[in-house]
Amino acid sequence: MANRVPTGYTIRELSPRTLPDFETLAVKQGGCWCIFYQRTKPLRRGTTSEQWKRKNRKDKRKLVREGRSHAILVYDGKTAIGWCQYGGRNELPRIDARRTYRKAAPPVGAGKLWRITCFFVDPKYRGRGVAKFALKAALESIRKQGGGTVEAYPVASAKMAAVPEWRWFGTPDMFRKEGFRTVASLGTSGVLMRKTIAP
Ligand SMILES: CC(C)(COP(=O)(O)OP(=O)(O)OC[C@H]1O[C@@H](n2cnc3c(N)ncnc32)[C@H](O)[C@@H]1OP(=O)(O)O)[C@@H](O)C(=O)NCCC(=O)NCCS
């Protein structure tokens, strides 16, 4: 069931049922299908751009059908206009391969570790709070699923943050407004932010 919200937009979880809506939007994004952080390692060398897109799409479909891919989709009417991908550590393992993360991330206490890795908003709808709305909904969904520690990895470099394509992790401000605190620096471009959510 979709939830009505004050902005007039609605939200739904990514699921086999909403997969076609996600796919329509994902095509506008270009072909990454937000699967990068779901793979433990990169695809083999020599993969062409077309092969890469097809494989991403196929693998993403499989993950969604198996219930191993989570995201909040934001709708304007029947059209998906943005998403926020979230998931448990096991669903988004690639973060653990990031050297700066392994070096800098403080240990996490008891409870589930969640990650927020990717935002995408249809260019026509940007700057209207769609990403912030998706984030709020993702955090609420995490709460309903038992809560725990939630991590985000926004780009902190002003130069990079000025380019929309570099903001797929979101911005530090978005997370600060939701009660996240910076716990470590991730090299020169990013920060690790965390928030604890009680069930
Ligand atoms: C990053 C992105 C998701 C933001 O979506 P959005 O709906 O426009 O964002 P919002 O309106 O909710 O604003 C969220 C925050 O983004 C930042 N932001 C938004 N527009 C911005 C701009 N033009 N310049 C700098 N920061 C901006 C601000 O910090 C803003 O928070 P604030 O209004 O409290 O200051 C969007 O620009 C996007 O989709 N970029 C492409 C990302 C991508 O390629 N993703 C695919 C990865 S696989």
Side-chain angles (χ1 to χ4, degrees):
M1 224 4 221
N3 295 320
R4 277 274 149 215
V5 293
T7 56
Y9 299 140
T10 55
I11 52 148
R12 298 182 76 177
E13 293 277 347
L14 176 61
S15 72
R17 198 173 266 215
T18 56
L19 182 59
D21 306 331
F22 171 78
E23 295 199 334
T24 304
L25 184 58
V27 169
K28 295 187 190 175
Q29 187 275 320
C32 132
W33 294 81
C34 277
I35 201 168
F36 182 89
Y37 296 103
Q38 296 187 277
R39 297 192 202 283
T40 47
K41 42 185 191 189
L43 293 180
R44 64 183 164 77
R45 281 167 179 234
T47 309
T48 66
S49 166
E50 279 316 303
Q51 287 169 334
W52 172 76
K53 284 182 193 174
R54 270 202 305 277
K55 174 101 177 105
N56 286 347
R57 180 177 195 148
K58 186 167 164 252
D59 290 354
K60 187 72 172 193
R61 281 180 172 167
K62 186 167 185 288
L63 288 171
V64 173
R65 286 177 184 143
E66 290 171 353
R68 295 196 287 140
S69 190
H70 290 81
I72 294 292
L73 300 178
V74 180
Y75 287 75
D76 180 9
K78 293 190 168 163
T79 309
I81 57 168
W83 73 65
C84 168
Q85 171 161 280
Y86 72 92
R89 181 182 203 163
N90 57 338
E91 244 174 52
L92 297 159
R94 190 68 166 275
I95 294 293
D96 294 302
R98 193 168 164 177
R99 201 166 43 86
T100 51
Y101 176 84
R102 288 203 312 269
K103 237 170 108 178
V108 183
K112 184 164 174 166
L113 176 60
W114 295 88
R115 291 176 163 161
I116 295 188
T117 51
C118 304
F119 291 87
F120 179 72
V121 171
D122 185 323
K124 281 192 298 193
Y125 285 88
R126 288 183 189 167
R128 302 188 203 172
V130 174
K132 283 187 281 193
F133 179 52
L135 172 59
K136 239 181 218 312
L139 297 175
E140 178 54 17
S141 188
I142 288 171
R143 190 190 62 73
K144 285 184 184 154
Q145 293 176 64
T149 301
V150 190
E151 283 188 346
Y153 321 91
V155 165
S157 137
K159 202 169 152 196
M160 285 168 80
V163 182
E165 280 63 40
W166 280 105
R167 292 199 295 268
W168 74 79
F169 273 133
T171 64
D173 252 12
M174 285 169 64
F175 291 102
R176 229 172 270 130
K177 283 174 187 156
E178 290 299 331
F180 282 72
R181 293 283 165 268
T182 301
V183 295
S185 158
L186 297 175
T188 52
S189 61
V191 286
L192 170 62
M193 299 181 83
R194 283 184 182 157
K195 173 187 167 98
T196 305
I197 297 186

